[in-house]
Amino acid sequence: MTRRSFTLLMGLLLAVTMVVAVAPSRAQQKVQVEFWHGLPQPLGGILEKIVADFNASQAQYQVNPSFKGSYPETMVGAIAAFRAGNAPHIVQMFDVGTATMMSARGAVKPVYELMKEAGVPFDPNAYVPAVKGYYSLPDGRMVSMPFNSSTTIMFYNKDAFKKAGLDPAKPPQTWPDLIAAARKIKAANAAPCAFTTAWPTWAQFEQFSAIHDVPLATKANGMAGLDAELKINSPIHVKHVQALMDMQKEGTFKYGGRDAAGDALFPSGECAIIHASSGLRARIMREAKFEWGAAMLPYWPGTPHAPLNSIIGGASFWVMTSPTRKPEEYKAVAEFFRYISQPDVVAKWHTDTGFLPVTIAGYEKTKASGYYQQNPGTDVPYLQLTRTQPTENSRGLRLGNMPEIRNIIQEELEKAFQGQQTAQQALDNAVQRGNVVLRNFERANRS
């Protein structure tokens, strides 16, 4: 080897060494954002694909998604992490955790404040009014970032309807219609179970109250003050629970369990009708071996103003603080929020999952693409949510420690289904116990 060749070789080796040394250094310079979410598969995978697309779209920031269990488990984990001083940058919190998060002074950074400090454009009016109102302060400032908003709708098995002699193009519109259809399905043995519900308190109390324009609680369902009291032992609530008890007794209703436990009963083909989150559609599309449809929730005829709009559920993204958090980390979060707010991203998440298009531009983009015409029923959640102007009974709810109240309602409901108490007793007990929870929350968070 000549001196010149040796020199060239050493130069090449040095250049390669520098590239190898610099490459990881640049990767490490990316601002890291920890993102905890509570979506199982397949939804969790779809969400993490969006995060991966964001990471691939730029070189400065990297968001690291982590599934932390169910929504309640994710909330408990985030609170514990905050107390330990290492909260994630973003945590996905379900709708009924909104009051708890709003009261967690110092633990969260409001979205309006985040975007302003980061210099990222942000228009709350770009969001669907029902979504914006749910996650905003009374003055309109948005405190958390909407993403996977949903509402409860009805899915039904068209094959089972045909077998029972029902018209698959005409799903039940009222509760008497639903009860009659369930009896025909049972009589024809068209499915092992005629009707079930997932999320019993969300579907059969929170959505039920909104659609029938009756209060779930006083003080505009808690939005007007911490001193709200539950009102779910009203005559129409008792009538509704009694109807479910009667259906269970005659074998046309199956209690599927607490929270999302009942979800599996529909895509498996066991139950022919289910009330569930619109977000269940992704799972139904993957698992159901039958033709199915989607429709709005039924209502009891003769109830003044019914049916009104339904309310949102699902979850939003909250920005958490930490003693060591730096401005560039908040900037990274703001840029991620800008990315997920784009009409293309909103529309794709909506069409892939069944969750609502949270922005008006996202809905219009989906509509203009012809998606709703090509996929009948996929616009049901949006149309039901925007069916009427919200009243104080259908705007949403903001009750402290609502996850605990949901468990209480489910416990009392289960005792009624087991024949241990009447519908009236179940709801009286739920109100009494739930109000104790509300008073404890009020004392802990009173200014």
Side-chain angles (χ1 to χ4, degrees), residues 29-43:
Q29 287 174 2
K30 280 188 174 182
V31 178
Q32 304 291 310
V33 171
E34 300 305 319
F35 169 32
W36 291 8
H37 72 83
L39 288 178
Q41 298 298 337
L43 295 172

Side-chain angles (χ1 to χ4, degrees), residues 165-181:
L166 296 163
D167 185 347
K170 295 181 179 178
Q173 295 186 7
T174 67
W175 275 99
D177 291 344
L178 187 149
I179 293 170

Side-chain angles (χ1 to χ4, degrees), residues 138-343:
D139 61 9
R141 292 177 298 172
M142 196 173 283
V143 291
S144 70
M145 192 69 183
F147 182 69
N148 60 310
S149 291
S150 61
T151 192
T152 313
I153 63 170
M154 179 166 62
F155 295 102
Y156 64 103
N157 183 330
K158 291 187 174 182
D159 290 349
F161 267 50
K162 293 175 186 173
K163 191 174 179 181
L166 296 163
D167 185 347
K170 295 181 179 178
Q173 295 186 7
T174 67
W175 275 99
D177 291 344
L178 187 149
I179 293 170
R183 286 172 176 163
K184 287 188 175 181
I185 290 168
K186 181 177 185 294
N189 197 25
C193 137
F195 168 62
T196 190
T197 184
W199 296 101
T201 54
W202 184 42
Q204 305 305 327
F205 287 91
E206 296 159 35
Q207 299 287 1
F208 178 87
S209 299
I211 287 173
H212 291 84
D213 198 23
V214 293
L216 183 81
T218 60
K219 296 287 181 178
N221 291 337
M223 289 198 174
L226 293 174
D227 55 340
E229 295 185 344
L230 293 176
K231 298 288 289 182
I232 58 170
N233 56 348
S234 74
I236 192 170
H237 288 104
V238 173
K239 171 185 175 182
H240 186 56
V241 170
Q242 185 62 55
L244 294 176
M245 292 168 65
D246 292 342
M247 291 183 72
Q248 184 193 43
K249 190 174 181 180
E250 69 181 20
T252 55
F253 168 67
K254 179 174 182 175
Y255 177 64
R258 300 183 183 186
D259 300 334
D263 279 350
L265 296 176
F266 184 76
S268 67
E270 183 170 351
C271 291
I273 307 172
I274 190 172
H275 293 171
S277 167
S278 57
L280 182 61
R281 185 164 64 85
R283 181 174 177 180
I284 297 172
M285 290 171 63
R286 292 192 180 200
E287 300 179 12
K289 307 298 183 188
F290 51 83
E291 189 180 2
W292 53 275
M296 296 187 186
L297 293 175
Y299 63 97
W300 286 104
T303 309
H305 310 139
L308 289 188
N309 62 286
S310 59
I311 59 176
I312 67 165
S316 63
F317 296 162
W318 291 80
V319 184
M320 299 199 73
T321 63
S322 168
T324 59
R325 197 134 295 159
K326 299 175 181 176
E328 55 264 35
E329 295 173 63
Y330 288 122
K331 171 73 172 175
V333 174
E335 290 295 342
F336 177 59
F337 284 177
R338 183 198 332 230
Y339 179 84
I340 63 173
S341 303
Q342 296 177 98

